[in-house]
Amino acid sequence: MQIYRVGGAVRDRLLGRDVSEVDWVVVGASAEEMLAQGFRPVGSDFPVFLHPESGEEYALARTERKSGTGYGGFVFHASPEVTLEQDLIRRDLTINAIAEDDQGHLIDPYGGQRDLQARLLRHVSPAFAEDPLRVLRVARFLARYAPLGFSIAPETLALMRQLAESGELSALTAERCWKEISRALMEPRPDLFIQALRDCGALHALLPEVDALFGVPQTATHHPEVDTGVHTLMALRQCAHHEQPLGVRWACLLHDVGKGLTPEAEWPHHIAHEHRGVRLVKSINQRYRVPREFAELALLTTELHTHCHRALELKATTLLELLQRFDTFRRPQRFSEFVAACEMDARGRLGLEERPYPQSAYLLQAAAQAREVAVQPLLEQGLQGAELGQAIERERLERLKRFRERHRQQPD
């Protein structure tokens, strides 16, 4: 039995990055031997075991053969006869196909170290094109490692394009897609994840609503970058720069999809694009079974982001309606994330990345003012049920009117 450290742990150590988790491959052993040594089996598709003490994953060396469509369309074979080289060749990228023994010696049969130095994301073998999930994985790796100078090798991009054109992406489950998309959006360059998918044709298959934004013009007065797709990428870039959470990034990715439905005769104006976008966002959320909190924020942001941009002009009644739409008094975090998404939208514009966005502080202060309405004095007046609710709403509206008036009287 020989045990090797493999994959991301080796890759990131060679790049000088922190290693968060370690995967191991075991050569020359059977499942029975692993069990006899106290390893706990996990996974039904192929033999993976948890170390009895560290809990780290140890997988028996295996080969795989394409047997169907999609991510799960493979037959795996694990036995003591499978070599380390046979196990490594089934991996996606050369930089993920480097192994390290217990003496620190590297086993690198497919040029992973060379590609680390060249800063290239390159496939290990033509079998790359058998797994459609790898399209998303490579795009995600680009989003992670582009700040280090990495790019996708042209021949790998060609295989990604081949996969996108084959229709196999449709065989991926909603859960697998969302896992890759959500992880990629949290990388340092989520915009490059979307760009890479577009470059190989996968964005049209996975998120046609977003793909349709490229080439759609907007008024240069508000959007010096003009192209709606480019603006979406710029908003994502701002999300990463300002370290926004996943919900904000998902909302920014989808907030303008309604502009893809604007008739060309109306370009570069997009009247009512917010309402047109709601239907599309609902469809996308359902397609990938997006967790409810992210789905709701994306829907509300799509519908109401122009309200945020016009916050300083809104009447007190409209301000209160906006706060109520977000259930702000019970879920203040969701409203804060909405405001953050709108600020990223405003900053995701060419040359306007550092422009002040006073709407953010204004809306958060307005919400704080409305939240300060005390319920106890109203209860002491004997108010209950609908009467109590109406009284609370009146108090909140009065506070917002006073807040709005004070703000208007402040010098610029």
Side-chain angles (χ1 to χ4, degrees):
M1 180 190 299
Q2 294 173 294
I3 299 176
Y4 300 90
R5 182 183 286 107
V6 293
V10 181
R11 175 198 67 224
D12 285 344
R13 184 183 70 76
L14 294 174
L15 286 172
R17 292 168 57 94
D18 292 337
V19 175
S20 57
E21 59 183 51
V22 181
D23 291 323
W24 306 85
V25 65
V26 183
V27 177
S30 65
E32 291 74 19
E33 289 176 274
M34 299 294 287
L35 294 172
Q37 294 193 30
F39 285 83
R40 303 191 307 275
V42 293
S44 56
D45 295 331
F46 42 81
V48 178
F49 301 84
L50 298 182
H51 192 281
E53 295 177 4
S54 70
E56 292 175 336
E57 287 193 359
Y58 286 67
L60 293 185
R62 64 186 186 270
T63 60
E64 60 186 35
R65 177 173 53 84
K66 185 75 169 172
S67 62
T69 58
Y71 169 75
F74 293 89
V75 173
F76 296 95
H77 170 68
S79 79
E81 287 73 39
V82 176
T83 66
L84 178 63
E85 288 74 14
Q86 287 175 315
D87 182 90
L88 293 176
I89 200 171
R90 67 177 176 78
R91 297 173 185 270
D92 50 7
L93 298 173
T94 60
I95 65 171
N96 296 331
I98 308 171
E100 183 178 15
D101 66 17
D102 57 1
Q103 301 298 313
H105 299 136
L106 296 176
I107 299 89
D108 181 19
Y110 306 111
Q113 293 176 89
R114 175 198 64 213
D115 286 339
L116 281 176
Q117 293 171 356
R119 297 301 197 247
L120 274 179
L121 302 173
R122 190 198 308 274
H123 63 282
V124 177
S125 78
F128 175 96
E130 295 178 350
D131 183 356
L133 188 67
R134 288 176 169 176
V135 173
L136 284 85
R137 277 177 55 82
V138 174
R140 174 166 62 83
F141 280 125
L142 180 66
R144 179 185 301 174
Y145 294 115
L148 299 180
F150 275 83
S151 61
I152 301 173
E155 59 270 32
T156 301
L157 191 64
L159 285 182
M160 293 167 66
R161 189 173 295 114
Q162 177 183 320
L163 267 169
E165 292 171 353
S166 72
E168 280 231 6
L169 290 171
S170 63
L172 294 173
T173 65
E175 291 79 7
R176 293 299 307 186
C177 286
W178 173 249
K179 183 178 180 180
E180 289 297 324
I181 292 170
S182 60
R183 291 179 69 185
L185 289 179
M186 292 306 295
E187 299 289 2
R189 290 296 304 273
D191 55 312
L192 292 184
F193 170 73
I194 299 299
Q195 185 64 59
L197 293 182
R198 185 163 190 270
D199 289 343
C200 71
L203 190 63
H204 179 71
L206 296 167
L207 288 168
E209 302 88 348
V210 175
D211 190 59
L213 298 179
F214 291 87
V216 174
Q218 304 169 99
T219 55
T221 305
H222 298 294
H223 286 276
E225 72 287 347
V226 179
D227 189 289
T228 308
V230 172
H231 161 62
T232 299
L233 297 184
M234 293 181 72
L236 279 180
R237 183 85 185 269
Q238 287 297 311
C239 284
H241 179 69
H242 291 277
E243 299 182 343
Q244 296 294 350
L246 176 58
V248 172
R249 300 184 190 209
W250 181 242
C252 282
L253 175 63
L254 303 184
H255 77 284
D256 265 350
V257 291
K259 291 181 179 179
L261 297 179
T262 303
E264 288 189 31
E266 298 178 16
W267 288 356
H269 303 287
H270 298 276
I271 297 171
H273 74 276
E274 306 90 345
H275 298 291
R276 285 197 297 268
V278 168
R279 173 176 58 83
L280 298 182
V281 174
K282 283 182 180 178
S283 175
I284 296 168
N285 284 332
Q286 291 170 1
R287 185 185 315 150
Y288 293 117
R289 299 178 188 173
V290 176
R292 182 176 175 181
E293 61 177 304
F294 306 135
E296 289 179 348
L297 180 63
L299 272 171
L300 288 166
T301 301
T302 297
E303 181 184 355
L304 299 168
H305 62 276
T306 49
H307 277 60
C308 188
H309 298 329
R310 295 175 45 247
L312 305 182
E313 308 164 22
L314 299 181
K315 297 178 181 178
T317 51
T318 309
L319 271 176
L320 182 57
E321 289 171 4
L322 184 65
L323 295 175
Q324 291 170 334
R325 283 294 308 276
F326 281 87
D327 197 11
T328 306
F329 305 109
R330 292 191 305 171
R331 302 173 63 182
Q333 184 65 28
R334 183 166 67 170
F335 186 67
S336 297
E337 291 187 351
F338 161 71
V339 172
C342 294
E343 182 169 353
M344 297 306 99
D345 170 24
R347 293 184 183 278
R349 308 178 191 212
L350 188 62
L352 304 178
E353 294 86 351
E354 302 299 326
R355 182 177 62 171
Y357 191 72
Q359 296 93 323
S360 179
Y362 179 82
L363 282 176
L364 294 178
Q365 289 168 14
Q369 287 288 317
R371 269 200 306 272
E372 287 181 4
V373 170
V375 178
Q376 188 59 35
L378 300 175
L379 290 172
E380 291 171 357
Q381 294 176 30
L383 297 177
Q384 299 178 24
E387 285 188 340
L388 176 62
Q390 292 166 2
I392 293 172
E393 187 170 323
R394 283 195 301 271
E395 288 283 342
R396 286 171 175 165
L397 183 58
E398 285 304 312
R399 278 182 171 269
L400 289 173
K401 286 179 179 177
R402 292 195 296 270
F403 167 77
R404 185 171 177 274
E405 190 60 32
R406 288 196 306 272
H407 191 273
R408 293 177 68 181
Q409 292 174 358
Q410 290 176 0
D412 293 337

